[in-house]
Amino acid sequence: MALLRRQVLLRQLIRRAVAGALAVAAFTVTAALATYALFLAIRAPFGDLNAALAVAALYLAVALVLLAYTLREPHSPELEALAEMEAAALETITAETQGVVQMVNTAGHRFENVGSSLTLGVSILSALRKLLAARKP
């Protein structure tokens, strides 16, 4: 049943995505035709160059308004609570990571000490072997 439900939801999602893409395409064509119509309407009184500049200025104004809206940070208690939770989680992860790093550093020092001890032991055994070999005449 769950598989059938997911298949139905997937089909609906695909249909909605296709419909959304067609809507964006239709909106783009509409905006292009509206821009051309505006250009033709103001071309006679302003001339070609000034009409093109006026349409460009209109699009620049719309772009600046949309950019200001996009860059504006929303303020809500939910977003502030999420930011605080994120900071707390980051602190927890940092503290846990520091503990792991200290444990790894300690283990590294222990391995280093074992390596030094083994090197010292091999050196002592080598020296003893040389001494024993030198004693045999």
Side-chain angles (χ1 to χ4, degrees):
M1 290 303 271
L3 183 61
L4 291 175
R5 180 178 176 273
R6 288 185 181 153
Q7 287 177 348
V8 169
L9 289 175
L10 181 62
R11 284 186 198 134
Q12 287 179 352
L13 178 67
I14 291 170
R15 286 182 189 144
R16 287 182 180 175
V18 169
L22 290 175
V24 168
F27 181 74
T28 303
V29 170
T30 302
L33 290 175
T35 301
Y36 185 64
L38 176 64
F39 174 77
L40 291 177
I42 62 175
R43 183 173 134 188
F46 291 142
D48 288 344
L49 180 62
N50 288 333
L53 289 174
V55 171
L58 177 68
Y59 273 104
L60 178 64
V62 170
L64 290 175
V65 168
L66 290 174
L67 181 65
Y69 175 75
T70 302
L71 295 178
R72 183 180 62 95
E73 293 216 17
H75 297 286
S76 71
E78 293 87 7
L79 288 176
E80 291 175 15
L82 286 172
E84 290 173 5
M85 288 171 52
E86 183 181 355
L90 184 62
E91 281 183 29
T92 303
I93 289 172
T94 303
E96 289 175 359
T97 304
Q98 286 177 351
V100 171
V101 167
Q102 288 175 351
M103 187 173 64
V104 169
N105 283 339
T106 303
H109 289 300
R110 287 184 184 163
F111 282 126
E112 184 179 331
N113 289 340
V114 168
S116 297
S117 298
L118 285 175
T119 303
L120 181 62
V122 168
S123 298
I124 290 173
L125 288 175
S126 177
L128 285 174
R129 179 191 274 174
K130 287 180 184 178
L131 283 174
L132 290 175
R135 285 184 85 193
K136 292 182 184 178

